Amino acid sequence: MEAVISKASRDDLAEILQLQYKAFYTFAESMGDFSIPPLTQTIEELVEEYMHGVVLKLVCDGKIVGSVRVRVKGDTVYVGKLIVSPDYRRRGFATRLLAEVEKLFPEMRYELFTSVASPENIRLYEKNGYVIFDRKTVSPNLTFVYMEKNRS
């Protein structure tokens, strides 16, 4: 089972959006809140992100099973919506997607955020060299941790 990472094309965006809905559904279910932005994002909003950044896809078994979005501002690479299909998790694909971002944008500062309710995500990022530098509560049920990884 070979998995290949490459830049997504505009034609891939609908499939990536469906994968995003699938990937974030369990998290939303655990929070009892299906109005989180990853579940309400439209294809138009994803196209906008695509036009102003980089969208990577991970293809395995002939389908997109992972993706990550990147936006660069100054010397910081903002990493967002790192997703892997629930059926393909725990195979190192998220780590591979992070490594690909760093390969595309070497010698930069990397920043991302995740929910404190996702300790497995926090562990993944810490394992890959990210450290928490801030926390923000956005609603009574949702607090984000902001993580960074400085230049290699």
Side-chain angles (χ1 to χ4, degrees), residues 76-91:
T76 299
V77 176
Y78 294 90
V79 179
K81 294 189 180 75
L82 174 62
I83 54 175
V84 175
S85 170
D87 302 332
Y88 287 81
R89 290 185 181 153
R90 306 212 186 308
R91 300 183 191 187

Side-chain angles (χ1 to χ4, degrees), residues 70-116:
V70 179
R71 181 176 50 88
V72 178
K73 186 174 180 185
D75 68 345
T76 299
V77 176
Y78 294 90
V79 179
K81 294 189 180 75
L82 174 62
I83 54 175
V84 175
S85 170
D87 302 332
Y88 287 81
R89 290 185 181 153
R90 306 212 186 308
R91 300 183 191 187
F93 291 156
T95 296
R96 285 188 53 196
L97 284 162
L98 280 174
E100 189 66 23
V101 167
E102 292 176 22
K103 194 164 85 174
L104 281 175
F105 301 97
E107 303 300 320
M108 301 282 283
R109 176 184 172 269
Y110 309 94
E111 183 178 319
L112 53 80
F113 65 90
T114 192
S115 168
V116 296

Side-chain angles (χ1 to χ4, degrees), residues 5-118:
I5 299 173
S6 62
K7 287 186 180 179
S9 72
R10 197 174 175 137
D11 291 341
D12 295 322
L13 298 182
E15 187 176 351
I16 289 170
L17 189 59
Q18 290 307 307
L19 173 63
Q20 174 180 308
Y21 294 158
K22 185 177 180 181
F24 279 95
Y25 184 85
T26 306
F27 174 73
E29 190 173 45
S30 73
M31 296 203 34
D33 183 0
F34 294 94
S35 67
I36 62 172
L39 293 184
T40 60
Q41 185 173 32
T42 65
I43 190 68
E44 293 80 14
E45 291 167 334
L46 177 51
V47 167
E48 184 71 17
E49 286 181 1
Y50 175 83
M51 300 300 289
H52 294 96
V54 174
V55 179
L56 297 178
K57 65 180 179 180
L58 185 144
V59 176
C60 187
D61 298 331
K63 60 186 173 194
I64 298 173
V65 300
S67 181
V68 65
R69 293 177 216 163
V70 179
R71 181 176 50 88
V72 178
K73 186 174 180 185
D75 68 345
T76 299
V77 176
Y78 294 90
V79 179
K81 294 189 180 75
L82 174 62
I83 54 175
V84 175
S85 170
D87 302 332
Y88 287 81
R89 290 185 181 153
R90 306 212 186 308
R91 300 183 191 187
F93 291 156
T95 296
R96 285 188 53 196
L97 284 162
L98 280 174
E100 189 66 23
V101 167
E102 292 176 22
K103 194 164 85 174
L104 281 175
F105 301 97
E107 303 300 320
M108 301 282 283
R109 176 184 172 269
Y110 309 94
E111 183 178 319
L112 53 80
F113 65 90
T114 192
S115 168
V116 296
S118 298

